Amino acid sequence: MTPPAGRYDPQEAEPRWMARWLDSGVLTADPASGKPPYAIAIPPPNVTGVLHMGHALNNTIQDALIRWRRMAGDETLWICGTDHAGIATQVMVEKQLASEGTDRHALGREAFVERVWEWRENYGGQIIGQLQRLGCTLDYSRERFTMDERYAAAVQRVFVDLHDKGHIYRDRYMVNWDPGLRSAISDLEVEDREVTDELVSIAYPLIDGDGELVVSTVRPETMLGDTAAAVSPKDERYADLVGRRCRLPLVGRELPIVADDYVDPEFGTGALKVTPSHDPNDFEIARRHDLPAVDVIGEDGRMTADAGERYAGLTPAEASARVVADLDEQGLLRGREPYTHSVPFSHRSGARVEPLRSLQWFCDMDALAAPAITAVEDGSVRFVPANWGNVYLRWMNEIRPWCVSRQLWWGHRLPVWYRGDEIHVGLEAPEGEGWEQDPDVLDTWFSSALWPFATLGWPQETPELATFYPTNVLSTARDIIFLWVARMVMMGIEYMGEPPFSEVNIHSVVQAPDGRRMSKSLGTGIDPLELIEEHGADALRFGLLHMSSTQDVRFNAGSVQQGRALVTKLWNASRLVTERGGRVQAQAPTPELLADRWIVSRVASFVEEANALVADFKLSAFADGLYHLVFDDYCDWYLELLKGGQASVDVAAYVLEQLLALVHPVMPFMTEEVWAAIPGSAGMMLTHPPARAPGPRDQHAELAVARLQEGVRALRGFRTDRQLPPRTPLVVGGPGLAELPDEATAVDAFTPDGSTDGAGGAVVGLSYGQLHVRVEGADPGEDRAAERSRIGSEVERARAELARAEGKLANEKFVDRAPADVVESEREKVRRYTEELSALEQELSDMDGAS
């Protein structure tokens, strides 16, 4: 085993190893190998995307899982590809056109689509290269794109099939309308912002006699489209008005007054105006009460002719101001007050989203959802953490029709043609003259829903589809459980007869260090590529896994630095072992020395733990365990025993081999670099199972070394307390010495004293007995006197601090007036100093007993 040369340079080694893996063919899955298959489909990044922290974390998780199974002997396929990202890509290219002084309408649809393809060819592969820089071992030879020819054919086939089954239909329904893009958008493209509007109370005169119904609204301009007023059936104030009619101000239309459970009696006046075309809740009220709808805001984001001549063509904000002024003039305003609430805006265009009825293509989800609900309920699909399964089920049980059409030019164009009132849906254009294809494209999430099987060749019966569907795991973020995860489950069951994966890992969301979301616009973004350049990909991978112990985690640069320290520590450990003649043997050496039996047992224990942690996606705990196994057990204790002649270099080399294999899925580059120093190696990722125990558990050895560690830590603490240099020679005796393994002298500078007196000096308490400790050459009596004096001083200090804290708590004014956290801090001091005082007094008692 040749020692790795010089210092480890991640900037040189990491690209070199990635290139070697790509050239070697080891990343290309073989569906005919006969090995157990293991597959993961990457959540396809947008073709416009660049690597951000969420990508870095999730792809590190997936790569660790893939490497773990590849090393275990499975035939692994990590499905590679990108999403065409309809809205994001179209917006990107439109910005480019605007900088050139033109737009898509000037180009025309065909030329614009060609321009997008050109953009994709020039810039679209950027994130794939960035994933390689992170060390991701996807099957790049099978890279797919959601607009490539075979994938597009699958998308078209599913649309036509769902239409033929009656699931897809055309209707006028409520959608999120983006006036900036002039398209319906999905919930993911909507972001809520806090806005302060004006809550306006308006009098609606009753038709049959005197009186009025006062309603409250933050959108007075939409009252022009009211078709009813509503009150709560539980609100006794309005019980006598239900069933009567009122008149719509400014318009004159008669409106029924209905009772509906949606109405909140505590909001405003407790009476609600019902505008079915421009509020999703009002839309549902209208359906329940069979109310008509009037569209007063158009797809251009301006008031329509149905809003009335005085308001037509105005923006909603302009119309709102004019409506309020007109109501005031007619004496129908009953109140105005500021009101802060959450308002939807388009993430893409920045425009305020208008809920409006629009003629779109929809997919009825009820029939598709039923088996997908059962799949989670019966455990066929398991969410980790489990609570996200409950979130999935709640949404699925309340699922609504899905608007699948988008008013864009970039995307899968609907296979729909019109001729007058005729509609043709099919894979081919209809014969005859006068047919025009629908200009809309499909929602990006429609094509993404087919990802786990369309990427494997469906609808053709390919070897990849037969071997790798269903995949094993999906790792993704919680914000797309409904938009993507649920839809993949539904489509997988519908077209493949079973769910597309059996486990869904919902990974952490990495926030900025101050707890805000990471965002370039907020100035809180942290570029993972910059961290790779600074610390190396291995360090970033370790750091991200280590810090991601909960669902929301603040980015912790310290974890990345720990990763870099671990790289350095393991690199130096490998140099130490190989320089001392460590070599790989054909068979595992038999551990005979205590230190060897202990480290073999520790690794065996962690292997058992690691298998369970990885299986349950607890990769933060796995990374933490690796760190302590390598840093603490192997380097800080075992190698020190090796240096002191208390361990075998053959065992040290063999255990190093197992540690490299365990660490490899997290830190692949450095482990390959070390392993490559072994002649004849075919590569770490193929030759070593990641969780092979190097030997049996040895409880006796683990107990003995635990006592050694406790004793040595106590001796080091003795020196620290007395401000002595770390290697100050000590004389150690006492009843606990018999339980302290002889090997302890190899890692600490002390001389055992087995005499009856037991060294004299200070008494150090251990879990298995007392040690009597003194500085070598010091008079035992003087040392013990100095120790008593030191402890006495500590006792006086603890008593003074305890008295001070108790005095504050005895002051009623302090307890009543001080902030709660300050009072609790003083109570904590009382508890702490009481415990410290008790321990110090016990030390004095032990010294007296040992005299």
Side-chain angles (χ1 to χ4, degrees):
M1 190 171 182
T2 306
R7 293 181 59 190
Y8 177 67
D9 179 5
Q11 306 311 325
E12 185 280 326
E14 291 175 351
R16 171 165 48 82
W17 274 107
M18 193 70 227
R20 188 176 299 186
W21 294 330
L22 290 169
D23 292 342
S24 70
V26 298
L27 311 187
T28 302
D30 178 6
S33 70
K35 299 177 183 177
Y38 184 88
I40 296 176
I42 189 176
N46 288 353
V47 69
T48 60
V50 294
L51 193 74
H52 57 60
M53 205 62 75
H55 289 138
L57 170 61
N58 192 22
N59 286 286
T60 295
I61 290 170
Q62 293 171 79
D63 190 55
L65 296 173
I66 283 287
R67 287 177 183 274
W68 188 267
R69 299 309 310 176
R70 184 188 289 122
M71 294 172 73
D74 290 355
E75 189 63 46
T76 57
L77 170 62
W78 188 4
I79 298 170
C80 176
T82 53
D83 191 283
H84 67 279
I87 292 177
T89 308
Q90 179 158 322
V91 168
M92 188 77 72
V93 177
E94 288 199 70
K95 286 181 179 178
Q96 194 177 67
L97 292 175
S99 70
E100 300 169 7
T102 186
D103 60 29
R104 65 183 169 108
H105 299 288
L107 263 66
R109 182 171 190 143
E110 185 174 342
F112 176 77
V113 171
E114 288 181 5
R115 181 66 178 264
V116 180
W117 277 106
E118 289 175 10
W119 184 93
R120 187 254 175 180
E121 289 302 314
N122 291 330
Y123 304 105
Q126 183 178 7
I127 196 165
I128 296 298
Q130 292 168 345
L131 290 172
Q132 292 175 0
R133 184 65 188 88
L134 185 64
C136 297
T137 51
L138 293 125
D139 187 342
Y140 296 100
S141 69
R142 289 185 170 91
E143 181 181 341
R144 300 300 303 272
F145 179 51
T146 54
M147 284 282 285
D148 68 36
E149 186 176 351
R150 288 185 301 149
Y151 200 103
V155 172
Q156 301 283 306
R157 176 165 175 164
V158 168
F159 182 94
V160 172
D161 181 68
L162 290 175
H163 175 269
D164 292 346
K165 290 174 178 176
H167 299 316
I168 285 183
Y169 60 94
R170 195 180 191 213
D171 195 7
R172 191 175 295 277
Y173 200 82
M174 187 66 61
V175 298
N176 296 318
W177 186 263
D178 182 345
L181 291 173
R182 293 203 179 187
S183 173
I185 59 176
S186 73
D187 290 339
L188 188 67
E189 278 89 36
V190 175
E191 61 181 20
D192 290 330
R193 302 180 194 167
E194 275 209 347
V195 172
T196 299
D197 283 324
E198 189 174 55
L199 183 64
V200 180
S201 296
I202 307 167
Y204 285 38
L206 298 175
I207 297 292
D208 52 352
D210 295 335
E212 61 190 26
L213 178 66
V214 179
V215 304
S216 299
T217 180
V218 292
R219 300 208 63 187
E221 73 278 11
T222 63
M223 68 171 289
L224 303 170
D226 286 0
T227 59
V231 297
S232 169
K234 300 173 184 177
D235 195 334
E236 296 181 0
R237 293 174 297 173
Y238 301 118
D240 62 332
L241 296 184
V242 176
R244 296 170 66 182
R245 304 177 75 79
C246 59
R247 190 172 303 283
L248 178 61
L250 307 181
V251 178
R253 188 161 52 241
E254 289 191 13
L255 309 178
I257 301 173
V258 301
D260 195 275
D261 287 327
Y262 170 75
V263 181
D264 179 5
E266 302 300 320
F267 176 76
T269 63
L272 186 75
K273 58 188 257 343
V274 180
T275 317
S277 290
H278 303 292
D279 184 283
N281 298 305
D282 291 5
F283 181 83
E284 296 300 329
I285 292 174
R287 293 179 68 184
R288 289 192 288 271
H289 297 276
D290 196 24
L291 301 172
V294 178
D295 302 331
V296 294
I297 301 176
E299 294 182 350
D300 60 356
R302 292 183 175 270
M303 306 304 288
T304 68
D306 284 340
E309 184 177 353
R310 179 167 170 74
Y311 309 103
L314 299 178
T315 66
E318 293 167 343
S320 177
R322 183 169 292 184
V323 164
V324 170
D326 291 347
L327 289 168
D328 191 28
E329 184 178 335
Q330 295 185 18
L332 295 173
L333 279 184
R334 295 294 179 265
R336 301 171 70 172
E337 60 183 275
Y339 181 73
T340 301
H341 62 136
S342 184
V343 173
F345 284 80
S346 169
H347 176 65
R348 300 298 180 185
S349 73
R352 184 166 175 162
V353 170
E354 288 291 349
L356 55 79
R357 288 190 320 143
S358 179
L359 185 60
Q360 302 280 350
W361 285 88
F362 293 88
C363 183
D364 183 81
M365 306 305 292
D366 290 343
L368 297 171
I373 290 171
T374 300
V376 172
E377 289 178 334
D378 68 12
S380 300
V381 175
R382 179 178 80 106
F383 279 81
V384 180
N387 66 291
W388 293 112
N390 297 327
V391 172
Y392 166 99
L393 289 172
R394 280 198 299 273
W395 183 78
M396 291 289 279
N397 281 305
E398 299 174 1
I399 200 164
R400 300 167 75 172
W402 174 16
C403 177
V404 297
S405 49
R406 296 290 183 269
Q407 290 63 56
L408 303 171
W409 286 0
W410 172 244
H412 297 276
R413 195 165 178 181
L414 300 183
V416 177
W417 287 262
Y418 306 101
R419 184 170 65 181
D421 292 335
E422 293 181 85
I423 300 177
H424 172 79
V425 178
L427 296 176
E428 304 291 340
E431 297 180 357
E433 299 292 328
W435 289 97
E436 291 187 7
Q437 188 172 1
D438 193 311
D440 292 353
V441 300
L442 282 164
D443 178 11
T444 295
W445 297 103
F446 187 93
S447 53
S448 298
L450 318 185
W451 185 251
F453 55 91
T455 51
L456 298 175
W458 185 93
Q460 281 71 43
E461 295 181 0
T462 63
E464 290 83 358
L465 190 65
T467 301
F468 295 110
Y469 188 93
T471 64
N472 297 78
V473 174
L474 174 73
S475 183
T476 189
R478 63 188 185 228
D479 58 352
I480 54 175
I481 290 175
F482 314 136
L483 292 163
W484 190 47
V485 179
R487 289 165 179 168
M488 281 193 291
V489 176
M490 288 186 275
M491 293 299 186
I493 294 173
E494 179 71 13
Y495 289 100
M496 294 297 297
E498 58 184 320
F501 31 73
S502 56
E503 295 182 300
V504 180
N505 174 53
I506 304 299
H507 64 71
S508 303
V509 173
V510 183
Q511 302 169 331
D514 62 4
R516 291 184 292 169
R517 68 182 178 89
M518 283 200 178
S519 165
K520 282 187 178 179
S521 61
L522 293 175
T524 57
I526 297 174
D527 187 349
L529 294 170
E530 291 181 1
L531 291 173
I532 289 175
E533 289 305 309
E534 182 179 358
H535 299 288
D538 281 340
L540 176 63
R541 288 166 63 108
F542 174 88
L544 286 171
L545 293 181
H546 188 259
M547 72 180 73
S548 298
S549 57
T550 60
Q551 282 291 290
D552 289 306
V553 295
R554 296 185 179 193
F555 179 79
N556 179 8
S559 287
V560 181
Q561 291 161 1
Q562 272 187 286
R564 182 62 188 266
L566 184 58
V567 167
T568 302
K569 196 80 167 178
L570 196 49
W571 177 262
N572 291 338
S574 67
R575 287 178 57 81
L576 170 69
V577 172
T578 53
E579 285 171 356
R580 287 173 174 264
R583 59 189 178 83
V584 175
Q585 300 178 354
Q587 294 184 336
T590 301
E592 296 179 354
L593 299 173
L594 172 64
D596 294 334
R597 289 187 288 114
W598 169 72
I599 194 63
V600 165
S601 184
R602 283 292 299 120
V603 175
S605 175
F606 183 74
V607 163
E608 183 179 331
E609 181 183 0
N611 278 311
L613 290 173
V614 173
D616 210 29
F617 309 108
K618 295 179 179 177
L619 298 184
S620 174
F622 173 62
D624 188 63
L626 280 177
Y627 182 87
H628 290 292
L629 181 67
V630 172
F631 220 99
D632 299 343
D633 292 344
Y634 187 74
C635 295
D636 286 357
W637 288 102
Y638 178 73
L639 293 186
E640 289 302 307
L641 289 164
L642 176 68
K643 292 176 188 177
Q646 301 298 320
S648 160
V649 71
D650 287 341
V651 173
Y654 186 70
V655 170
L656 174 64
E657 204 181 320
Q658 311 314 312
L659 293 177
L660 289 171
L662 279 166
V663 173
H664 177 80
V666 178
M667 295 177 152
F669 295 110
M670 179 273 297
T671 50
E672 282 281 26
E673 186 80 350
V674 173
W675 184 243
I678 303 173
S681 168
M684 172 62 69
M685 73 165 73
L686 292 179
T687 59
H688 269 275
R692 179 175 66 189
R697 295 289 303 275
D698 188 326
Q699 298 289 351
H700 174 76
E702 291 200 38
L703 176 61
V705 174
R707 288 179 171 175
L708 180 152
Q709 292 171 328
E710 184 185 358
V712 170
R713 290 189 183 108
L715 298 181
R716 291 171 180 173
F718 175 90
R719 295 186 183 93
T720 300
D721 289 344
R722 289 151 187 81
Q723 300 180 345
L724 298 173
R727 300 297 291 180
T728 299
L730 303 176
V731 177
V732 178
L737 182 63
E739 300 296 327
L740 185 65
D742 295 340
E743 288 83 356
T745 57
V747 290
D748 195 277
F750 74 90
T751 301
D753 182 351
S755 66
T756 306
D757 283 348
V763 175
V764 176
L766 303 174
S767 63
Y768 51 86
Q770 295 176 348
L771 294 180
H772 298 173
V773 184
R774 61 181 171 84
V775 176
E776 188 175 276
D779 179 85
E782 292 178 2
D783 205 39
R784 179 164 298 185
E787 179 66 5
R788 285 188 62 86
S789 176
R790 185 189 69 82
I791 296 175
S793 297
E794 289 293 305
V795 167
E796 291 306 314
R797 180 191 58 80
R799 283 175 178 165
E801 293 293 341
L802 178 60
R804 185 176 293 112
E806 287 177 334
K808 284 187 176 183
L809 293 173
N811 185 335
E812 292 183 4
K813 290 183 179 180
F814 171 78
V815 174
D816 292 340
R817 296 177 184 177
D821 59 332
V822 173
V823 175
E824 180 55 33
S825 174
E826 293 302 318
R827 289 181 176 140
E828 174 57 30
K829 287 179 182 178
V830 169
R831 289 191 289 268
R832 185 170 72 250
Y833 288 121
T834 298
E835 291 175 3
E836 185 178 341
L837 188 59
S838 176
L840 289 167
E841 289 172 341
Q842 182 61 50
E843 279 193 63
L844 286 175
S845 175
D846 290 342
M847 289 189 74
D848 292 339
S851 297

